[in-house]
């Protein structure tokens, strides 16, 4: 063995700057890789992937904001504007697919006739939304945004703290977002205080749940957005933790998904109510009943996770995990040691 050669081999310590640049590069290229196909509008999956890429790119720029010397042409709100335009079209695709494939086949003929008119209306909306997407992606401001990010990636610019080893400051990046997630008021929806502790009310029937969602459902939607931010941020750092970390990431994803099912069902119900200009239960009773059943099923899934994360031990276990990254050999300067 050539000992001299071995002694010179160094293990690269990952810094905040390394992680920030890597995440931004990954999600930027993920987004623009689908741009041409989105404009062609051949496959809805391209739109979905570009939207996800833009969301994660924005999360990376926001999450690493203290580290970056970031160009003003690519500020996070400008990335968010592109994401929202893509999101409008994507939401219409999801609604169309849901109505056509999930609900339509199980409805009686009279309700299918109403849905036929709804689907035509949605297709018109989609054509307008597609024009909007194409206009944004071909606009000068979007081209400037892309160019600014490309220039930054060629020569990344950072604040002074970018040289800190990532493993040393990971808790400072993750804990604020997780704390905001834990402190969200939606965790207390459908609970009661009993003997000084928060207890999940698991005896609510479908009607009671519908009433709660009608009056307080918006805070669940807000928690869903917070869950998405936490999940995207945690996804960046899986290599620094053991397999337990991934269990928590999957839990956050599950929270996001079951709250998303509730939100999507509510949005669809509101849209249908506006379209028929009457009570949904009157004009489309089978569809209304199915939507209600789906919301209740999603609510029950949410309560399982709600109960788990209202448990103080679960929260403390996650906090303890986050403040103790598994550094391994990443901090060894000399691989021969």
């Amino acid at each position: 063995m050539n000992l001299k050669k071995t002694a010179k081999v160094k293990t690269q310590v990952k810094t905040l700057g390394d992680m920030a640049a890597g995440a931004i590069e990954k999600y930027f290229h993920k987004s623009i890789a689908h741009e041409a196909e989105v404009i062609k509008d051949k496959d809805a999956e391209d739109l979905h992937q570009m939207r996800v890429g833009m969301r994660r790119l924005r999360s990376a720029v926001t999450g690493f904001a203290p580290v970056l010397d970031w160009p003003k042409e690519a500020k996070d709100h400008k990335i968010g504007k592109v994401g929202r335009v893509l999101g409008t079209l994507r939401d219409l695709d999801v609604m169309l697919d849901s109505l056509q494939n999930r609900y339509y086949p199980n409805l009686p003929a009279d309700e299918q006739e109403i849905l036929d008119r709804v689907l035509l209306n949605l297709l018109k909306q989609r054509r307008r939304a597609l024009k909007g997407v194409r206009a944004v992606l071909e606009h000068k401001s979007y081209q400037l945004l892309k160019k600014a990010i490309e220039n930054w990636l060629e020569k990344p610019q950072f604040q002074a703290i970018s040289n800190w080893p990532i493993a040393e400051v990971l808790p400072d990046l993750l804990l604020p977002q997780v704390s905001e997630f834990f402190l969200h008021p939606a965790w207390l929806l459908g609970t009661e205080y009993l003997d000084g502790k928060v207890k999940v009310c698991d005896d609510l029937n479908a009607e009671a749940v519908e009433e709660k969602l009608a009056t307080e459902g918006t805070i669940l939607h807000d928690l869903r957005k917070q869950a998405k931010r936490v999940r995207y941020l945690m996804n960046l750092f899986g290599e620094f933790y053991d397999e337990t970390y991934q269990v928590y990431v999957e839990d956050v994803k599950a929270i996001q998904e079951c709250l998303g099912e509730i939100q999507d069902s509510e949005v669809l119900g509101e849209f249908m109510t506006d379209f028929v200009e009457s009570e949904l239960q009157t004009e489309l009773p089978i569809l209304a009943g199915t939507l209600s059943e789906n919301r209740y099923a999603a609510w029950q899934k949410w309560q399982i996770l709600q109960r788990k994360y209202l448990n103080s031990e679960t929260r403390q276990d996650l906090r303890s995990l986050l403040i103790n990254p598994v550094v391994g050999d990443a901090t060894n300067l000399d691989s021969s040691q």
Side-chain angles (χ1 to χ4, degrees):
M1 175 185 283
N2 188 332
L3 295 178
K4 275 191 173 181
K5 185 174 181 181
T6 303
K8 291 180 181 179
V9 176
K10 304 291 182 182
T11 300
Q12 181 68 39
V13 177
K14 284 193 175 181
T15 65
L16 270 171
D18 295 332
M19 292 297 293
I24 290 168
E25 181 175 27
K26 176 181 177 180
Y27 296 134
F28 175 66
H29 288 305
K30 175 183 174 65
S31 298
I32 63 173
H34 298 277
E35 182 184 311
E37 295 305 313
V38 167
I39 291 173
K40 292 177 184 176
D41 192 37
K42 297 294 185 183
D43 189 339
E45 184 62 20
D46 290 300
L47 172 65
H48 173 57
Q49 291 300 325
M50 185 174 184
R51 182 195 191 188
V52 169
M54 278 291 171
R55 280 180 167 177
R56 293 187 174 183
L57 174 62
R58 188 183 188 189
S59 292
V61 170
T62 303
F64 286 109
V67 186
L68 306 174
D69 182 0
W70 191 244
K72 65 176 189 283
E73 296 86 359
K75 291 295 184 183
D76 72 297
H77 71 273
K78 295 186 177 183
I79 300 171
K81 181 180 178 181
V82 177
R84 282 191 297 275
V85 173
L86 294 171
T88 298
L89 182 57
R90 174 62 183 170
D91 290 346
L92 287 168
D93 280 347
V94 170
M95 196 178 294
L96 279 163
D97 180 70
S98 183
L99 283 173
Q100 287 178 313
N101 300 312
R102 184 176 182 181
Y103 297 109
Y104 190 97
N106 301 312
L107 295 177
D110 57 335
E111 293 194 26
Q112 287 182 340
E113 287 180 14
I114 297 174
L115 250 65
D116 286 334
R117 299 199 302 272
V118 171
L119 292 169
L120 286 174
N121 180 278
L122 284 172
L123 287 169
K124 289 179 182 177
Q125 290 189 43
R126 191 190 185 282
R127 284 194 288 271
R128 289 195 295 270
L130 178 60
K131 286 182 181 179
V133 166
R134 287 170 171 164
V136 165
L137 297 186
E138 292 167 357
H139 196 272
K140 181 180 178 181
S141 61
Y142 175 69
Q143 302 305 322
L144 288 173
L145 182 152
K146 282 201 305 179
K147 186 63 177 174
I149 296 176
E150 287 169 352
N151 290 342
W152 187 89
L153 287 171
E154 286 181 12
K155 191 175 181 182
Q157 301 293 312
F158 300 107
Q159 305 293 340
I161 63 170
S162 68
N163 290 319
W164 264 340
I166 185 67
E168 291 184 18
V169 292
L170 259 184
D172 303 311
L173 279 175
L174 291 169
L175 282 170
Q177 285 279 10
V178 172
S179 295
E180 188 177 347
F181 180 59
F182 281 166
L183 290 170
H184 199 285
W187 289 106
L188 299 179
L189 187 61
T191 67
E192 61 182 0
Y193 285 99
L194 191 66
D195 298 327
K197 295 184 178 180
V198 179
K199 177 182 179 296
V200 174
C201 299
D202 51 12
D203 57 350
L204 297 176
N205 59 26
E207 185 179 350
V209 169
E210 286 293 302
E211 290 177 5
K212 284 203 170 292
L213 292 177
T215 57
E216 303 176 81
T218 53
I219 66 170
L220 280 180
H221 180 49
D222 192 67
L223 178 61
R224 175 198 184 187
K225 292 190 287 186
Q226 180 62 26
K228 191 178 299 180
R229 288 191 288 269
V230 169
R231 176 188 161 204
Y232 287 170
L233 185 62
M234 289 182 71
N235 272 334
L236 296 173
F237 305 114
E239 66 187 278
F240 294 96
Y241 293 96
D242 62 24
E243 61 275 7
T244 307
Y245 181 87
Q246 191 57 39
V247 173
Y248 284 110
V249 174
E250 290 301 316
D251 275 356
V252 176
K253 180 182 179 182
I255 290 167
Q256 177 190 334
E257 289 178 345
C258 66
L259 296 183
E261 288 178 32
I262 294 173
Q263 171 69 10
D264 291 347
S265 178
E266 288 186 311
V267 168
L268 183 56
E270 290 169 4
F271 176 81
M272 297 298 299
T273 298
D274 290 342
F275 185 85
V276 298
E277 297 180 342
S278 180
E279 289 293 325
L280 199 62
Q281 291 84 353
T282 303
E283 297 295 323
L284 294 157
I286 304 301
L287 177 61
T290 303
L291 290 174
S292 179
E293 289 171 6
N294 291 343
R295 283 192 291 272
Y296 189 57
W299 172 271
Q300 290 175 310
K301 287 190 288 185
W302 149 246
Q303 283 195 308
I304 294 171
L305 292 157
Q306 181 187 26
R307 189 177 293 106
K308 178 177 180 179
Y309 281 87
L310 283 174
N311 183 296
S312 59
E313 290 183 6
T314 300
R315 292 177 175 225
Q316 189 54 39
D317 285 346
L318 178 53
R319 294 187 197 103
S320 298
L321 175 69
L322 295 181
I323 63 175
N324 292 292
V326 179
V327 180
D329 293 330
T331 56
N332 290 342
L333 295 180
D334 194 326
S335 66
S336 65
Q337 294 177 352

